């Protein structure tokens, strides 16, 4: 006869340390990053994030390949390699797709599936909950705003087609960082603000894309067709961050009549405005009634 | 030490008064929060969690003020809300572990305790299934596991048997009783179902129209008027006549006799009558009101 026995351990109290609100923020931010990227989820949930990342990195891989395979003389004559800020022109669609995906995924889902109530019944409060969400969305957007130009920089440098010397490399590196922050900050705020207005992910995603398109089409029409003041372009959510990126690289941009300071102020105003909408919505949200 | 203490707690939602001066104490053990839908139960749970601030009065939870020490209070509370909507594409174990981490447990401990909690609620074999593929009863148990995994001092359960069939309901109530008795965790069970509270709870707080209309130990509240309930095996009318002749006031309810008055006097009279008539006694017990009686009396 065997001596094996099933031992019921019973309930074990936990007497170890607890990580408090900071730990809760870290845990929620990391969980949100995984959700936004479709990780630990169904294959369907992975398709769009992976597609966006592929679209964002593919041109960089192609340009690095061109730099490796095509001789420098031919490259320079044909001007085949983009500038670092010009690279964003190739990946705008990926950035917009990502912006429209990430915010709704990390915010709308929590309200729709009841997780918000469970989170706010933990050491998190509304402010720390939203802070965790911002901490999640910023780096995820950085994956398509910062990552591809960095891959381009490193790839071109290795292929001997990068900036001149360490100083040049460092300057481009810093500019890429600043450009990534400018684009990610504005679009994180926009994405989260739009997602705070509806529980439905699809509606939020469509709203984000429509907001970007409509502000762009409307301002361009006013300036190009109706002869309105160019400063009205500061209302264009496509224009402001990407024009500011041009200035970061020392390029006068498409509308040199708009001062860099005005662009920076518009960027700040858009980001702060979207953040205010987000906070207002969550402050008013009733969790238990 | 009391677990929750409310003093003249007021809460309004616009023009609606959810709580109008609720004063109560919730002691250790399993306490039922009883009231009809809209009585203010969920509002009270929200106040206990510090999710909303009272418009008046004060609240003390685990010795802390939830309006100023919300995160510290919530760290020690497990909450299972009424709805059973959970992320459908997340595995039960991942969800419970994540919520344990959010409540402050280190990852390794959260992983181990998530498994333990799911075994405790009877979902050990199902723990790696996505929540969306589970039945309502299983999702209710996932919520309970998530509320339990971080070893709370106080568990708040909002209508935990909603959507359960009778068998699942029995099993859930057994589990709640075990949590209160074996696990040593204080439980507040919010429900509008009297029999659930009666079966599981030691104490009860009865809410009606935003007011606490009765509170205390269930046995005390049910004791009501003095008297005995006697079930006999024989001629009920003959027994009733004999007892009335002995000066007792009583009513006949089927095979039962409900006798008013001092219990020792009534018990002696019942014994003597049974011997004299040669009637068997099936049950003699102290007269207890049902929780329904208590609720109706308090609410009126």
């Amino acid at each position: 006869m065997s001596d094996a026995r099933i031992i019921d351990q019973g309930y074990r109290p936990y007497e170890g340390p607890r990580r408090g609100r900071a730990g809760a923020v870290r845990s929620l931010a990391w969980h949100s990053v995984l959700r936004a990227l479709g990780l630990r989820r169904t294959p369907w949930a992975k398709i769009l994030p992976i597609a966006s990342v592929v679209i964002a990195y593919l041109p960089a891989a192609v340009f690095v390949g061109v730099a490796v395979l095509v001789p420098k003389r031919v490259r320079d004559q044909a001007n085949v390699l983009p500038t670092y800020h010009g690279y964003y022109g190739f990946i705008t669609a990926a950035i917009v797709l990502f912006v429209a995906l990430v915010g709704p995924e990390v915010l709308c889902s929590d309200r729709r599936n009841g997780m918000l109530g469970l989170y706010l019944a933990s050491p998190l409060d509304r402010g720390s909950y939203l802070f965790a969400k911002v901490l999640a969305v910023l780096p995820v957007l950085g994956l398509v705003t910062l990552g591809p130009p960095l891959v381009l920089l490193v790839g071109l440098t290795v292929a001997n087609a990068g900036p001149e010397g360490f100083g040049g490399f460092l300057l481009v590196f810093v500019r890429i960082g600043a450009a990534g922050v400018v684009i990610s900050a504005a679009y994180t705020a926009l994405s989260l603000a739009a997602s705070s207005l509806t529980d439905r992910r699809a509606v939020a995603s469509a709203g984000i894309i429509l907001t970007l398109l409509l502000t762009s089409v409307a301002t361009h029409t006013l300036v190009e067709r109706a002869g309105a003041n160019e400063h009205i372009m500061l209302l264009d959510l496509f224009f402001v961050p990407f024009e500011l990126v041009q200035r970061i690289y020392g390029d006068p941009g498409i509308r040199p009549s708009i001062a860099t300071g005005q662009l920076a102020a518009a960027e700040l105003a858009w980001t702060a405005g979207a953040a205010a909408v987000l906070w207002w919505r969550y402050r008013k949200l009733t969790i238990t009634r | 030490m009391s677990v929750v203490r409310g003093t003249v707690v007021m809460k309004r939602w616009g023009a609606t008064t959810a709580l109008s001066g609720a004063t109560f104490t919730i002691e250790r053990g399993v306490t039922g929060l009883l009231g009809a839908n809209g009585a203010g139960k969920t509002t009270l749970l929200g106040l206990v969690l510090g999710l909303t601030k009272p418009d008046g009065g004060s609240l003390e939870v685990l010795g802390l003020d939830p309006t100023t020490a919300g995160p510290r209070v919530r760290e020690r509370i497990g909450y299972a809300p009424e709805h059973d909507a959970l992320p459908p594409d997340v595995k039960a174990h991942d969800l419970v572990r994540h919520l344990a981490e959010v409540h402050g447990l280190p990852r390794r401990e959260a992983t181990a305790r998530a498994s333990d909690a799911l075994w405790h609620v009877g979902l050990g074999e199902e723990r790696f299934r996505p929540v969306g593929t589970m039945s309502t009863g299983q999702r209710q148990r996932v919520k309970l596991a998530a509320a339990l995994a971080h070893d709370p001092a106080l568990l708040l359960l909002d209508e935990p048997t909603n959507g359960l069939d009778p068998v699942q309901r029995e099993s859930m109530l057994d589990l709640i009783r075990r949590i209160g008795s074996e696990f040593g965790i204080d439980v507040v069970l919010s429900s509008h179902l009297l029999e659930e509270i009666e079966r599981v709870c030691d104490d009860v707080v009865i809410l009606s129209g935003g007011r606490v209309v009765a509170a205390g130990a269930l046995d005390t509240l049910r004791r009501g008027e003095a008297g005995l309930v006697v079930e006999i095996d024989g001629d009920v009318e003959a027994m009733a006549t004999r007892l009335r002749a002995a000066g007792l006031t009583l009513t006949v309810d089927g095979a039962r006799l409900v006798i008013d008055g001092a219990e020792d006097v009534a018990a002696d009279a019942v014994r003597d009558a049974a011997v004299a008539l040669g009637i068997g006694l099936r049950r003699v017990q102290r007269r207890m009101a049902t929780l329904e009686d208590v609720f109706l009396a308090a609410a009126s």
Side-chain angles (χ1 to χ4, degrees):
Chain A
M1 196 174 125
S2 166
D3 288 337
R5 284 181 302 152
I6 296 172
I7 298 171
D8 180 7
Q9 285 189 309
Y11 183 77
R12 282 186 308 123
Y14 175 71
E15 281 156 8
R18 291 184 189 259
R19 301 178 308 158
R21 191 156 43 174
V25 168
R26 276 199 303 275
S27 177
L28 177 58
W30 179 241
H31 181 78
S32 302
V33 166
L34 296 182
R35 272 201 78 79
L37 296 175
L39 302 175
R40 293 198 192 146
R41 295 178 62 201
T42 60
W44 287 109
K46 294 175 175 61
I47 290 175
L48 282 176
I50 289 173
S52 306
V53 171
V54 169
I55 296 169
Y57 283 84
L58 195 60
V62 170
F63 289 126
V64 171
V66 167
V68 170
L69 298 174
V70 179
K72 183 173 185 325
R73 183 177 48 80
V74 180
R75 279 194 328 247
D76 290 346
Q77 273 179 356
N79 200 20
V80 287
L81 294 181
T83 58
Y84 293 99
H85 53 290
Y87 183 80
Y88 287 110
F90 295 95
I91 61 168
T92 310
I95 293 175
V96 171
L97 187 60
F98 225 49
V99 169
L101 278 177
V102 173
E105 181 55 54
V106 302
L107 271 196
C108 297
S109 307
D110 283 353
R111 292 203 306 280
R112 199 166 168 79
N113 61 31
M115 286 299 286
L116 179 62
L118 293 175
Y119 285 134
L120 296 185
S122 75
L124 294 166
D125 53 23
R126 287 159 208 253
S128 49
Y129 169 83
L130 289 176
F131 181 60
K133 293 297 179 177
V134 171
L135 277 187
V137 175
L138 263 177
V140 171
L141 287 186
L143 199 61
V144 292
T145 59
L146 270 172
L150 279 177
V151 167
L152 188 68
L153 171 66
V154 173
L156 294 184
T157 305
V158 170
N160 204 22
E164 291 289 328
F166 180 70
F169 179 89
L170 200 62
L171 180 62
V172 175
F173 184 82
V174 170
R175 282 172 165 169
I176 287 174
V181 168
V182 162
I183 299 171
S184 298
Y187 288 158
T188 293
L190 169 70
S191 176
L192 292 178
S195 306
S196 71
L197 300 174
T198 172
D199 289 357
R200 303 184 78 90
R201 277 182 300 175
V203 174
S205 296
I208 291 165
I209 292 172
L210 277 176
T211 306
L212 287 170
L213 286 178
L214 286 178
T215 58
S216 185
V217 169
T219 51
H220 271 86
T221 307
L222 284 170
V223 172
E224 304 296 341
R225 300 281 169 84
N229 189 310
E230 276 199 329
H231 285 81
I232 211 160
M233 293 298 292
L234 294 174
L235 298 175
D236 180 354
L237 278 165
F238 258 137
F239 172 80
V240 172
F242 288 108
E243 183 75 356
L244 196 53
V245 166
Q246 307 265 337
R247 307 295 172 88
I248 287 170
Y249 282 91
D251 193 304
I254 323 169
R255 309 268 175 196
S257 67
I258 302 175
T260 303
Q262 291 172 324
L263 278 169
E267 160 95 9
L268 274 177
W270 273 113
T271 308
V277 168
L278 178 66
W279 177 242
W280 169 76
R281 272 291 293 161
Y282 273 79
R283 196 173 59 84
K284 280 173 66 86
L285 214 60
T286 302
I287 307 299
T288 55
R289 179 168 183 165
Chain B
M1 189 186 82
S2 59
V3 179
V4 182
R5 181 179 295 139
T7 311
V8 206
V9 181
M10 310 270 289
K11 183 67 193 173
R12 287 184 206 87
W13 300 106
T16 311
T17 301
L19 289 173
S20 54
T23 297
F24 59 94
T25 302
I26 294 177
E27 301 292 346
R28 299 213 56 190
V30 183
T31 301
L33 190 56
L34 180 66
N37 289 326
K41 303 189 296 290
T42 303
T43 295
L44 185 56
L45 294 184
L47 291 167
V48 168
L49 283 163
L51 298 180
T52 47
K53 291 185 177 176
D55 296 319
S58 65
L59 206 59
E60 191 184 282
V61 181
L62 302 170
L64 298 165
D65 179 353
T67 58
T68 55
R72 281 173 60 208
V73 169
R74 291 192 293 272
E75 194 172 64
R76 297 166 61 196
I77 292 182
Y79 173 55
E82 184 176 358
H83 66 77
D84 68 339
L86 292 169
D89 56 351
V90 178
K91 291 172 188 158
H93 184 268
D94 288 348
L95 179 70
V96 175
R97 178 186 59 194
H98 170 55
L99 287 169
E101 282 187 275
V102 168
H103 275 88
L105 265 60
R107 188 170 181 80
R108 183 175 293 186
E109 195 66 33
T111 304
R113 293 191 66 90
S115 282
D116 288 353
L118 285 160
W119 278 104
H120 283 309
V121 301
L123 289 175
E125 302 285 357
E126 315 284 340
R127 66 191 188 280
F128 295 118
R129 263 177 63 189
V131 175
T133 66
M134 293 182 159
S135 68
T136 306
Q138 288 173 321
R139 286 203 298 274
Q140 289 281 27
R141 283 189 276 164
V142 170
K143 275 194 309 183
L144 184 56
L148 199 59
H150 64 280
D151 187 29
L154 172 64
L155 199 55
L156 304 179
L157 307 176
D158 197 357
E159 307 278 4
T161 58
N162 258 8
L164 302 188
D165 64 35
V167 176
Q168 290 172 332
R169 173 171 293 185
E170 285 302 300
S171 142
M172 176 64 89
L173 293 175
D174 283 344
L175 187 57
I176 293 168
R177 188 68 239 177
R178 273 187 66 209
I179 290 169
S181 54
E182 290 176 31
F183 297 9
I185 296 172
D186 300 318
V187 181
V188 173
L189 167 64
S190 166
S191 177
H192 64 280
L193 299 172
L194 299 158
E195 66 270 25
E196 281 185 2
I197 302 280
E198 204 157 23
R199 233 200 84 181
V200 172
C201 299
D202 309 308
D203 298 334
V204 67
V205 173
I206 301 177
L207 284 171
S208 179
R211 290 182 307 115
V212 174
V213 290
L218 211 50
D219 285 347
T220 310
L221 289 173
R222 287 172 57 197
R223 192 156 294 157
E225 294 168 29
L228 287 181
V229 176
V230 179
E231 269 185 42
I232 61 169
D233 194 11
D235 187 345
V236 179
E237 283 306 324
M239 183 75 163
T241 308
R242 184 96 187 183
L243 291 173
R244 284 192 186 106
L248 296 179
T249 308
L250 58 92
T251 52
V252 178
D253 177 17
R256 293 193 320 161
L257 298 162
V258 182
I259 306 166
D260 298 339
E263 287 153 14
D264 51 349
V265 175
D268 287 348
V270 167
R271 180 201 58 208
D272 295 345
V275 169
L277 295 171
I279 287 174
L281 296 176
R282 277 193 189 154
R283 189 155 63 114
V284 179
Q285 68 175 69
R286 183 177 286 153
R287 185 175 168 185
M288 299 280 269
T290 63
L291 189 54
E292 188 176 1
D293 297 333
V294 175
F295 180 71
L296 291 174
S300 63

